[in-house]
Coordinates of all heavy atoms in Angstrom, one line a residue:
M139 N 1.3 127.0 19.0 CA 2.7 127.3 19.1 C 3.0 128.6 18.3 O 2.6 128.8 17.2 CB 3.5 126.2 18.5 CG 3.7 125.0 19.4 SD 5.1 123.9 19.0 CE 4.8 123.6 17.3
E140 N 3.8 129.4 19.0 CA 4.2 130.6 18.3 C 5.5 131.2 19.0 O 5.9 130.7 20.0 CB 3.1 131.7 18.3 CG 2.5 131.9 19.7 CD 1.3 132.9 19.6 OE1 0.3 132.6 19.0 OE2 1.5 134.0 20.2
G141 N 6.1 132.1 18.3 CA 7.3 132.7 18.8 C 8.5 131.9 18.8 O 8.8 131.2 17.8
Q142 N 9.3 131.9 19.9 CA 10.6 131.2 19.9 C 10.4 129.7 19.9 O 11.2 128.9 19.3 CB 11.3 131.6 21.2 CG 12.7 131.0 21.2 CD 13.5 131.4 22.4 OE1 13.0 132.2 23.3 NE2 14.7 130.9 22.6
T143 N 9.3 129.1 20.5 CA 9.0 127.7 20.4 C 8.8 127.2 19.0 O 9.4 126.2 18.6 CB 7.8 127.4 21.3 OG1 7.9 127.9 22.6 CG2 7.6 125.9 21.4
L144 N 8.1 128.0 18.2 CA 7.9 127.6 16.8 C 9.2 127.7 16.0 O 9.5 126.8 15.2 CB 6.9 128.5 16.2 CG 6.6 128.3 14.7 CD1 6.0 126.9 14.5 CD2 5.6 129.3 14.2
N145 N 10.0 128.7 16.3 CA 11.3 128.8 15.6 C 12.3 127.6 15.9 O 12.9 127.1 15.1 CB 12.0 130.1 15.9 CG 11.3 131.3 15.3 OD1 10.7 131.1 14.3 ND2 11.5 132.5 15.8
V146 N 12.3 127.3 17.2 CA 13.2 126.1 17.6 C 12.7 124.8 17.0 O 13.4 124.0 16.5 CB 13.2 126.0 19.2 CG1 13.9 124.7 19.6 CG2 13.9 127.2 19.7
F147 N 11.3 124.6 17.0 CA 10.7 123.4 16.4 C 11.1 123.4 14.9 O 11.5 122.3 14.4 CB 9.2 123.5 16.6 CG 8.5 122.4 15.9 CD1 8.5 121.1 16.4 CD2 7.9 122.6 14.7 CE1 7.8 120.1 15.8 CE2 7.2 121.6 14.0 CZ 7.2 120.3 14.5
Y148 N 10.9 124.5 14.2 CA 11.2 124.5 12.8 C 12.6 124.2 12.5 O 13.0 123.4 11.6 CB 10.7 125.8 12.2 CG 11.0 125.9 10.7 CD1 10.2 125.3 9.8 CD2 12.1 126.7 10.3 CE1 10.5 125.4 8.4 CE2 12.4 126.8 9.0 CZ 11.6 126.1 8.0 OH 11.9 126.2 6.7
N149 N 13.5 124.9 13.3 CA 15.0 124.7 13.0 C 15.4 123.3 13.3 O 16.2 122.7 12.4 CB 15.8 125.7 13.9 CG 15.7 127.1 13.4 OD1 15.3 127.4 12.2 ND2 16.0 128.1 14.3
R150 N 15.0 122.7 14.4 CA 15.6 121.4 14.8 C 14.9 120.2 14.1 O 15.5 119.2 13.9 CB 15.5 121.3 16.3 CG 16.5 122.2 17.0 CD 16.6 122.0 18.4 NE 17.5 122.9 19.0 CZ 17.7 123.1 20.3 NH1 16.9 122.4 21.1 NH2 18.5 124.0 20.8
L151 N 13.6 120.4 13.8 CA 12.9 119.2 13.3 C 12.5 119.3 11.8 O 12.1 118.3 11.2 CB 11.6 119.0 14.1 CG 11.8 118.6 15.6 CD1 10.5 118.5 16.3 CD2 12.6 117.3 15.7
V152 N 12.7 120.5 11.2 CA 12.4 120.6 9.8 C 13.6 121.0 9.0 O 14.0 120.4 8.0 CB 11.2 121.6 9.6 CG1 10.9 121.8 8.1 CG2 10.0 121.1 10.3
L153 N 14.2 122.2 9.4 CA 15.2 122.8 8.6 C 16.5 122.0 8.6 O 17.1 121.7 7.5 CB 15.5 124.2 9.0 CG 16.5 125.0 8.2 CD1 15.9 125.2 6.8 CD2 16.7 126.4 8.8
I154 N 17.0 121.6 9.7 CA 18.3 120.9 9.8 C 18.3 119.5 9.1 O 19.2 119.2 8.4 CB 18.8 120.8 11.3 CG1 19.1 122.2 11.8 CG2 20.0 119.8 11.5 CD1 19.5 122.2 13.3
P155 N 17.2 118.7 9.3 CA 17.2 117.4 8.6 C 17.1 117.6 7.1 O 17.7 116.9 6.3 CB 15.9 116.7 9.1 CG 15.7 117.3 10.4 CD 16.2 118.7 10.3
K156 N 16.4 118.7 6.6 CA 16.3 118.9 5.2 C 17.7 119.3 4.6 O 18.1 118.9 3.6 CB 15.3 120.0 4.9 CG 15.0 120.3 3.5 CD 14.4 119.1 2.8 CE 12.9 119.0 3.0 NZ 12.2 118.0 2.2
L157 N 18.4 120.2 5.3 CA 19.7 120.6 4.9 C 20.7 119.4 4.9 O 21.5 119.2 4.0 CB 20.3 121.7 5.8 CG 19.6 123.1 5.6 CD1 20.1 124.0 6.6 CD2 19.8 123.6 4.2
A158 N 20.6 118.5 5.9 CA 21.4 117.3 6.0 C 21.1 116.4 4.8 O 22.0 115.8 4.2 CB 21.2 116.6 7.3
Q159 N 19.9 116.3 4.4 CA 19.5 115.5 3.2 C 20.1 116.0 2.0 O 20.7 115.3 1.2 CB 18.0 115.4 3.1 CG 17.5 114.4 2.0 CD 16.0 114.4 2.0 OE1 15.3 115.2 2.7 NE2 15.5 113.4 1.2
Y160 N 20.1 117.3 1.8 CA 20.7 117.9 0.6 C 22.2 117.8 0.6 O 22.8 117.5 -0.4 CB 20.3 119.4 0.5 CG 18.9 119.7 0.1 CD1 18.1 120.6 0.8 CD2 18.3 119.0 -1.0 CE1 16.8 120.8 0.4 CE2 17.0 119.2 -1.3 CZ 16.2 120.1 -0.6 OH 14.9 120.3 -1.0
F161 N 22.8 117.9 1.8 CA 24.2 117.8 1.9 C 24.7 116.4 1.6 O 25.7 116.2 1.0 CB 24.6 118.2 3.4 CG 26.1 118.3 3.6 CD1 26.9 119.2 2.9 CD2 26.7 117.4 4.5 CE1 28.2 119.3 3.1 CE2 28.1 117.5 4.6 CZ 28.9 118.5 4.0
Q162 N 23.8 115.4 1.9 CA 24.1 114.0 1.6 C 24.2 113.8 0.1 O 25.1 113.2 -0.4 CB 23.0 113.1 2.2 CG 23.2 111.7 1.9 CD 22.0 110.8 2.4 OE1 21.1 111.4 3.0 NE2 22.1 109.5 2.3
Y163 N 23.3 114.4 -0.7 CA 23.3 114.3 -2.1 C 24.5 115.0 -2.7 O 25.2 114.6 -3.7 CB 22.0 114.9 -2.7 CG 20.8 114.0 -2.5 CD1 19.8 114.5 -1.8 CD2 20.8 112.7 -2.9 CE1 18.7 113.7 -1.5 CE2 19.7 111.9 -2.7 CZ 18.6 112.4 -2.0 OH 17.6 111.6 -1.8
V164 N 24.9 116.2 -2.1 CA 26.1 116.9 -2.6 C 27.4 116.0 -2.4 O 28.2 115.9 -3.3 CB 26.2 118.3 -1.9 CG1 27.6 118.9 -2.1 CG2 25.1 119.2 -2.3
L165 N 27.5 115.4 -1.2 CA 28.7 114.6 -0.9 C 28.7 113.4 -1.9 O 29.8 112.9 -2.3 CB 28.7 114.1 0.5 CG 29.0 115.2 1.6 CD1 29.0 114.6 3.0 CD2 30.4 115.7 1.3
N166 N 27.5 112.8 -2.2 CA 27.5 111.7 -3.1 C 27.9 112.1 -4.5 O 28.7 111.4 -5.2 CB 26.1 111.1 -3.2 CG 25.7 110.2 -2.0 OD1 26.6 109.6 -1.4 ND2 24.5 110.1 -1.7
A167 N 27.5 113.3 -4.9 CA 27.9 113.8 -6.2 C 29.4 114.1 -6.3 O 30.1 113.7 -7.3 CB 27.1 115.1 -6.6
V168 N 30.0 114.6 -5.2 CA 31.4 114.9 -5.2 C 32.2 113.6 -5.2 O 33.2 113.5 -5.9 CB 31.8 115.8 -3.9 CG1 33.3 115.8 -3.7 CG2 31.2 117.2 -4.1
G169 N 31.7 112.6 -4.5 CA 32.4 111.3 -4.5 C 32.4 110.7 -5.8 O 33.4 110.1 -6.3
C170 N 31.3 110.7 -6.5 CA 31.2 110.1 -7.9 C 32.1 110.9 -8.8 O 32.8 110.3 -9.7 CB 29.7 110.2 -8.4 SG 28.7 109.0 -7.5
L171 N 32.1 112.2 -8.7 CA 33.0 113.0 -9.5 C 34.5 112.7 -9.3 O 35.3 112.5 -10.3 CB 32.8 114.5 -9.2 CG 33.5 115.5 -10.1 CD1 33.1 115.4 -11.6 CD2 33.3 116.9 -9.6
L172 N 34.9 112.5 -8.1 CA 36.3 112.1 -7.8 C 36.6 110.7 -8.3 O 37.7 110.5 -8.8 CB 36.5 112.1 -6.3 CG 36.6 113.5 -5.7 CD1 36.7 113.4 -4.2 CD2 37.7 114.3 -6.3
I173 N 35.7 109.8 -8.3 CA 35.9 108.4 -8.8 C 36.0 108.5 -10.3 O 36.9 107.9 -10.9 CB 34.7 107.5 -8.4 CG1 34.8 107.2 -6.9 CG2 34.8 106.2 -9.2 CD1 33.7 106.4 -6.4
I174 N 35.2 109.3 -11.0 CA 35.3 109.4 -12.4 C 36.6 110.1 -12.8 O 37.3 109.6 -13.8 CB 34.1 110.3 -13.0 CG1 32.8 109.4 -12.8 CG2 34.3 110.7 -14.4 CD1 31.5 110.2 -13.1
I175 N 37.1 111.1 -12.1 CA 38.3 111.8 -12.4 C 39.5 110.8 -12.2 O 40.4 110.7 -13.1 CB 38.5 113.0 -11.5 CG1 37.6 114.1 -12.0 CG2 40.0 113.5 -11.6 CD1 37.5 115.3 -11.0
T176 N 39.4 109.9 -11.2 CA 40.5 109.0 -10.9 C 40.5 107.9 -12.1 O 41.6 107.6 -12.6 CB 40.2 108.2 -9.6 OG1 40.2 109.2 -8.6 CG2 41.3 107.2 -9.3
L177 N 39.4 107.5 -12.5 CA 39.3 106.5 -13.6 C 39.9 107.1 -14.9 O 40.6 106.4 -15.6 CB 37.9 106.0 -13.8 CG 37.3 105.1 -12.7 CD1 35.9 104.8 -13.0 CD2 38.2 103.8 -12.6
I178 N 39.5 108.3 -15.2 CA 40.0 109.0 -16.4 C 41.6 109.1 -16.3 O 42.3 108.9 -17.3 CB 39.4 110.4 -16.5 CG1 37.9 110.2 -16.9 CG2 40.1 111.2 -17.6 CD1 37.1 111.5 -16.9
L179 N 42.1 109.5 -15.1 CA 43.6 109.6 -15.0 C 44.3 108.3 -15.1 O 45.3 108.2 -15.7 CB 43.9 110.3 -13.7 CG 43.6 111.8 -13.6 CD1 43.9 112.3 -12.2 CD2 44.3 112.6 -14.6
I180 N 43.7 107.2 -14.6 CA 44.2 105.9 -14.7 C 44.3 105.4 -16.2 O 45.3 104.9 -16.7 CB 43.5 104.9 -13.8 CG1 43.7 105.1 -12.4 CG2 43.8 103.4 -14.2 CD1 42.9 104.3 -11.4
I181 N 43.2 105.6 -16.9 CA 43.1 105.2 -18.3 C 44.1 106.1 -19.1 O 44.8 105.6 -20.0 CB 41.7 105.4 -18.8 CG1 40.8 104.3 -18.1 CG2 41.6 105.2 -20.3 CD1 39.3 104.5 -18.4
K182 N 44.2 107.3 -18.8 CA 45.1 108.2 -19.5 C 46.6 107.9 -19.3 O 47.4 108.0 -20.3 CB 44.9 109.7 -19.1 CG 45.7 110.7 -19.8 CD 45.4 112.1 -19.3 CE 46.3 113.1 -19.9 NZ 46.1 114.4 -19.4
N183 N 46.9 107.5 -18.1 CA 48.3 107.2 -17.8 C 48.7 105.7 -18.1 O 49.9 105.4 -17.9 CB 48.6 107.5 -16.3 CG 48.6 109.0 -16.1 OD1 48.8 109.8 -17.0 ND2 48.2 109.4 -14.9
Q184 N 47.8 104.9 -18.5 CA 48.2 103.5 -18.8 C 49.0 103.5 -20.1 O 48.8 104.2 -21.0 CB 46.9 102.7 -19.0 CG 46.3 102.1 -17.8 CD 45.2 101.2 -18.1 OE1 44.6 101.2 -19.2 NE2 44.8 100.4 -17.1
R185 N 50.0 102.6 -20.0 CA 50.9 102.4 -21.2 C 50.9 101.0 -21.5 O 50.9 100.1 -20.7 CB 52.3 102.9 -20.9 CG 52.4 104.4 -20.7 CD 53.8 104.8 -20.6 NE 53.9 106.3 -20.5 CZ 55.0 106.9 -20.2 NH1 56.1 106.3 -20.1 NH2 55.0 108.2 -20.1
T186 N 51.1 100.7 -22.8 CA 51.2 99.3 -23.2 C 52.6 98.9 -23.0 O 53.5 99.7 -23.1 CB 50.8 99.2 -24.7 OG1 51.6 100.0 -25.5 CG2 49.3 99.6 -24.9
P187 N 52.9 97.6 -22.9 CA 54.3 97.1 -22.8 C 55.2 97.5 -24.0 O 56.3 97.8 -23.8 CB 54.2 95.6 -22.6 CG 52.8 95.4 -22.1 CD 52.0 96.5 -22.7
S188 N 54.6 97.5 -25.2 CA 55.4 97.8 -26.3 C 55.8 99.3 -26.3 O 56.9 99.6 -26.8 CB 54.6 97.5 -27.6 OG 53.4 98.3 -27.7
A189 N 55.0 100.2 -25.7 CA 55.4 101.6 -25.6 C 56.6 101.8 -24.7 O 57.5 102.6 -25.0 CB 54.3 102.4 -25.1
A190 N 56.7 101.0 -23.7 CA 57.9 101.1 -22.8 C 59.1 100.6 -23.5 O 60.2 101.1 -23.2 CB 57.6 100.3 -21.5
L191 N 59.0 99.6 -24.3 CA 60.2 99.0 -25.0 C 60.7 100.1 -26.0 O 61.9 100.2 -26.2 CB 59.8 97.7 -25.8 CG 59.6 96.5 -24.9 CD1 59.1 95.3 -25.7 CD2 60.8 96.2 -24.1
H192 N 59.8 100.8 -26.7 CA 60.2 101.8 -27.6 C 60.9 103.0 -27.0 O 61.8 103.6 -27.6 CB 59.0 102.3 -28.4 CG 58.4 101.3 -29.4 ND1 59.2 100.7 -30.4 CD2 57.2 100.7 -29.4 CE1 58.4 99.8 -31.0 NE2 57.2 99.8 -30.5
E193 N 60.6 103.2 -25.7 CA 61.3 104.3 -25.0 C 62.7 103.9 -24.5 O 63.4 104.7 -24.0 CB 60.4 104.8 -23.8 CG 59.2 105.4 -24.3 CD 58.3 105.8 -23.1 OE1 58.7 105.6 -22.0 OE2 57.2 106.3 -23.3
G194 N 63.0 102.6 -24.5 CA 64.3 102.2 -24.1 C 64.3 101.8 -22.6 O 65.4 101.6 -22.0
L195 N 63.2 101.7 -22.0 CA 63.1 101.3 -20.6 C 63.1 99.8 -20.4 O 63.5 99.3 -19.3 CB 61.9 102.0 -19.9 CG 61.8 103.5 -20.0 CD1 60.5 103.9 -19.4 CD2 63.0 104.1 -19.2
G196 N 62.6 99.1 -21.3 CA 62.4 97.7 -21.1 C 63.6 96.8 -21.2 O 63.7 95.9 -20.3
P197 N 64.5 96.9 -22.1 CA 65.6 95.9 -22.3 C 66.5 95.8 -21.1 O 66.9 94.7 -20.7 CB 66.3 96.4 -23.5 CG 65.4 97.3 -24.3 CD 64.5 97.8 -23.2
Q198 N 66.8 96.9 -20.4 CA 67.7 96.8 -19.3 C 67.1 96.1 -18.1 O 67.8 95.4 -17.3 CB 68.2 98.2 -18.9 CG 69.1 98.8 -19.9 CD 69.5 100.2 -19.5 OE1 69.1 100.7 -18.5 NE2 70.4 100.8 -20.3
S199 N 65.8 96.3 -17.9 CA 65.2 95.6 -16.7 C 65.0 94.1 -16.9 O 64.8 93.4 -16.0 CB 63.8 96.3 -16.5 OG 63.0 96.1 -17.6
D200 N 65.1 93.6 -18.2 CA 64.9 92.2 -18.4 C 66.2 91.4 -18.2 O 66.2 90.2 -18.1 CB 64.5 92.0 -19.9 CG 63.1 92.5 -20.1 OD1 62.3 92.7 -19.1 OD2 62.7 92.7 -21.3
Q201 N 67.4 92.1 -18.1 CA 68.6 91.4 -18.0 C 68.8 91.1 -16.5 O 68.7 91.9 -15.6 CB 69.8 92.3 -18.4 CG 69.7 92.6 -19.9 CD 70.8 93.6 -20.3 OE1 71.5 94.1 -19.5 NE2 71.0 93.8 -21.6
L202 N 69.2 89.8 -16.3 CA 69.5 89.3 -14.9 C 71.0 89.5 -14.7 O 71.8 89.3 -15.6 CB 69.1 87.9 -14.7 CG 67.6 87.6 -14.9 CD1 67.3 86.1 -14.8 CD2 66.8 88.3 -13.8
P203 N 71.4 89.7 -13.4 CA 72.9 89.8 -13.1 C 73.5 88.4 -13.2 O 72.9 87.4 -12.9 CB 72.9 90.4 -11.7 CG 71.6 90.1 -11.1 CD 70.6 90.1 -12.3
S204 N 74.7 88.4 -13.7 CA 75.5 87.1 -13.9 C 76.2 86.9 -12.6 O 76.2 87.7 -11.7 CB 76.4 87.2 -15.0 OG 77.4 88.1 -14.8
S205 N 76.9 85.7 -12.5 CA 77.7 85.4 -11.3 C 78.9 86.3 -11.2 O 79.5 86.4 -10.1 CB 78.1 83.9 -11.3 OG 78.9 83.7 -12.5
Q206 N 79.3 86.9 -12.3 CA 80.5 87.8 -12.3 C 80.1 89.3 -11.9 O 81.0 90.1 -11.8 CB 81.2 87.8 -13.7 CG 81.6 86.4 -14.1 CD 82.6 85.8 -13.2 OE1 83.5 86.5 -12.7 NE2 82.5 84.5 -12.9
T207 N 78.9 89.6 -11.8 CA 78.5 91.0 -11.5 C 78.8 91.3 -10.0 O 78.5 90.5 -9.1 CB 76.9 91.1 -11.6 OG1 76.6 90.7 -13.0 CG2 76.5 92.5 -11.4
P208 N 79.6 92.4 -9.8 CA 79.9 92.7 -8.4 C 78.7 93.2 -7.6 O 77.8 93.8 -8.2 CB 80.9 93.9 -8.6 CG 80.6 94.5 -10.0 CD 80.1 93.3 -10.8
L209 N 78.7 92.8 -6.4 CA 77.6 93.1 -5.5 C 77.6 94.6 -5.1 O 76.6 95.2 -5.0 CB 77.5 92.2 -4.3 CG 77.3 90.7 -4.7 CD1 77.3 89.9 -3.4 CD2 76.0 90.5 -5.4
L210 N 78.8 95.0 -4.7 CA 79.0 96.4 -4.3 C 79.9 97.1 -5.3 O 81.0 96.6 -5.7 CB 79.6 96.5 -2.9 CG 78.7 96.0 -1.8 CD1 79.5 96.0 -0.5 CD2 77.4 96.8 -1.7
Q211 N 79.5 98.3 -5.7 CA 80.4 99.0 -6.7 C 80.9 100.3 -6.0 O 80.3 100.8 -5.1 CB 79.6 99.4 -7.9 CG 79.1 98.2 -8.7 CD 78.2 98.5 -9.9 OE1 77.9 99.7 -10.1 NE2 77.8 97.6 -10.6
D212 N 82.1 100.7 -6.5 CA 82.7 101.9 -5.9 C 81.9 103.1 -6.3 O 81.3 103.2 -7.4 CB 84.1 102.1 -6.5 CG 85.1 101.1 -5.9 OD1 84.7 100.5 -4.9 OD2 86.1 100.9 -6.5
D213 N 81.8 104.1 -5.4 CA 81.1 105.3 -5.7 C 82.1 106.2 -6.5 O 83.2 106.5 -6.0 CB 80.7 106.0 -4.4 CG 79.8 107.2 -4.6 OD1 79.4 107.4 -5.7 OD2 79.5 107.9 -3.6
P214 N 81.7 106.6 -7.7 CA 82.6 107.4 -8.5 C 82.9 108.8 -8.0 O 83.9 109.4 -8.4 CB 82.0 107.4 -9.9 CG 80.5 107.2 -9.6 CD 80.5 106.3 -8.4
Q215 N 82.1 109.3 -7.0 CA 82.3 110.6 -6.6 C 83.5 110.7 -5.6 O 84.3 111.7 -5.6 CB 81.1 111.1 -5.9 CG 79.9 111.3 -6.9 CD 78.6 111.7 -6.3 OE1 78.5 111.7 -5.0 NE2 77.6 112.0 -7.1
D216 N 83.6 109.8 -4.6 CA 84.7 109.9 -3.7 C 85.7 108.8 -3.7 O 86.7 108.8 -3.0 CB 84.1 110.0 -2.2 CG 83.3 108.8 -1.9 OD1 83.2 107.8 -2.7 OD2 82.7 108.8 -0.8
G217 N 85.5 107.8 -4.6 CA 86.5 106.8 -4.8 C 86.6 105.7 -3.7 O 87.4 104.8 -3.7
Q218 N 85.7 105.8 -2.7 CA 85.7 104.8 -1.7 C 84.6 103.7 -2.0 O 83.6 104.0 -2.5 CB 85.4 105.4 -0.3 CG 86.4 106.4 0.1 CD 86.0 107.0 1.4 OE1 84.9 106.8 2.0 NE2 86.9 107.8 2.0
P219 N 84.9 102.5 -1.6 CA 83.9 101.4 -1.8 C 82.6 101.7 -0.9 O 82.7 102.4 0.1 CB 84.5 100.1 -1.3 CG 86.0 100.4 -1.1 CD 86.1 101.9 -1.0
A220 N 81.5 101.3 -1.4 CA 80.2 101.6 -0.8 C 80.1 100.9 0.6 O 79.5 101.4 1.5 CB 79.1 101.1 -1.6
S221 N 80.9 99.8 0.9 CA 80.8 99.1 2.1 C 81.6 99.8 3.2 O 81.4 99.6 4.4 CB 81.3 97.7 2.0 OG 82.7 97.7 1.6
S222 N 82.6 100.7 2.9 CA 83.4 101.4 3.9 C 82.8 102.7 4.4 O 83.3 103.3 5.2 CB 84.8 101.6 3.3 OG 84.7 102.6 2.3
K223 N 81.7 103.1 3.8 CA 81.0 104.3 4.3 C 80.3 104.1 5.6 O 79.8 103.1 5.9 CB 80.0 104.8 3.3 CG 80.6 105.4 2.0 CD 79.6 105.9 1.1 CE 80.2 106.5 -0.1 NZ 79.2 107.0 -1.0
S224 N 80.3 105.1 6.5 CA 79.6 105.0 7.7 C 78.6 106.1 7.9 O 78.5 107.0 7.3 CB 80.6 105.0 8.9 OG 81.4 106.1 8.8

């Protein structure tokens, strides 16, 4: 075998599978890197419940509405009830 036949044989049966194998390892490394970055961001952004209470976010969310709480409130911008808007 020589000439163009040898080049085609080498390209299709040796070179392309070898490149695909290397590309597979590159994709695996990128995937692992993305998973590690995601885990780092999740751990970094986690907050304890006591930290949320210190910021003033917790106490209002714990209160339940009473039977006297209005269901619809007036919009302070235009003075119309929220139910009359179309």
Side-chain angles (χ1 to χ4, degrees):
M139 275 198 314
E140 49 185 67
Q142 185 177 359
T143 307
L144 180 62
N145 288 337
V146 170
F147 173 81
Y148 177 76
N149 286 341
R150 292 190 180 166
L151 295 177
V152 177
L153 187 62
I154 292 175
K156 186 62 82 171
L157 290 175
Q159 185 178 9
Y160 288 133
F161 189 64
Q162 179 183 5
Y163 289 119
V164 169
L165 288 179
N166 283 335
V168 169
C170 289
L171 184 65
L172 289 175
I173 290 173
I174 290 171
I175 290 172
T176 303
L177 290 175
I178 290 171
L179 290 175
I180 288 172
I181 292 171
K182 181 181 174 185
N183 291 331
Q184 276 185 342
R185 293 186 176 175
T186 60
S188 62
L191 290 176
H192 291 300
E193 292 177 4
L195 301 175
Q198 292 179 356
S199 64
D200 293 339
Q201 296 176 353
L202 296 175
S204 68
S205 61
Q206 302 298 322
T207 304
L209 297 176
L210 295 175
Q211 297 178 355
D212 290 341
D213 190 8
Q215 295 175 351
D216 58 6
Q218 296 179 355
S221 61
S222 66
K223 289 184 180 179
S224 52

